Amino acid sequence: MSDITNTGSYEQRQKISKDEMAETLFENYCETRGLKIHHTGFDSVSNPVANFWKVHPTIRALPDYLVEDGSDLYWCQVKGSNKLKLHDFVEYSTWDNLFSHQCSFYVVFCFKNGKPIFRSMKDIANSIVGQKIGQWHDGVKYITVPSA
């Protein structure tokens, strides 16, 4: 895990900390199960891309990991919160529809005191029916994904 420095707003530091913690929990989970992982996503903290907003949103949504489990492959997007931005939900659904032909796509929710929760986009879509849309102070809208 990279060093968390005291730069940026409190909210930015908390997000960085949560995301890095979730990825570390996920990597540890995979290691204990003998799963081979390949880090595939973009790292906006330790290796930021200048003008990243110019990259197509679906490419920006490249999942964090490609996981090998025997002869099976899984795309995994790791999250440290059960609040999922609406635009991320759309891009993950697009990714799932376009690129997961023989490799399943999962959003993996990792929290400090529990096992990772693997959710398919279909499962998430079904679980959020009727959910209220929330909005952060910066105007970004999100849904809260139920744990089961």
Side-chain angles (χ1 to χ4, degrees), residues 26 66 72 85 113 128 131 140 147:
F26 179 76
L66 184 60
D72 294 324
K85 295 176 202 165
N113 296 321
I128 62 170
Q131 287 278 345
V140 175
S147 61

Side-chain angles (χ1 to χ4, degrees), residues 10 20 27 38 42-43 51-52 55 72 99 131 142 146:
Y10 174 78
E20 286 188 352
E27 290 173 4
H38 304 275
F42 295 96
D43 188 337
N51 301 307
F52 193 53
V55 176
D72 294 324
F99 303 114
Q131 287 278 345
Y142 66 89

Side-chain angles (χ1 to χ4, degrees), residues 5-71:
T5 58
N6 194 19
T7 59
S9 70
Y10 174 78
E11 290 81 11
Q12 288 169 324
R13 291 192 316 271
Q14 291 305 306
K15 179 176 178 5
I16 292 167
S17 177
K18 245 193 258 184
D19 288 349
E20 286 188 352
M21 180 183 74
E23 287 193 6
T24 299
L25 291 169
F26 179 76
E27 290 173 4
N28 291 341
Y29 172 85
C30 289
E31 183 179 334
T32 62
R33 279 151 186 78
L35 303 174
K36 186 173 182 180
I37 57 174
H38 304 275
H39 197 277
T40 55
F42 295 96
D43 188 337
S44 62
V45 177
S46 64
N47 191 17
V49 176
N51 301 307
F52 193 53
W53 60 272
K54 292 180 179 180
V55 176
H56 190 280
T58 303
I59 301 302
R60 289 194 314 249
L62 178 68
D64 296 318
Y65 297 93
L66 184 60
V67 178
E68 292 183 57
D69 183 7
S71 62

Side-chain angles (χ1 to χ4, degrees), residues 88-99:
D88 284 347
F89 175 79
V90 170
E91 292 309 329
Y92 299 158
S93 295
T94 300
W95 182 269
D96 186 40
N97 288 327
L98 292 175
F99 303 114

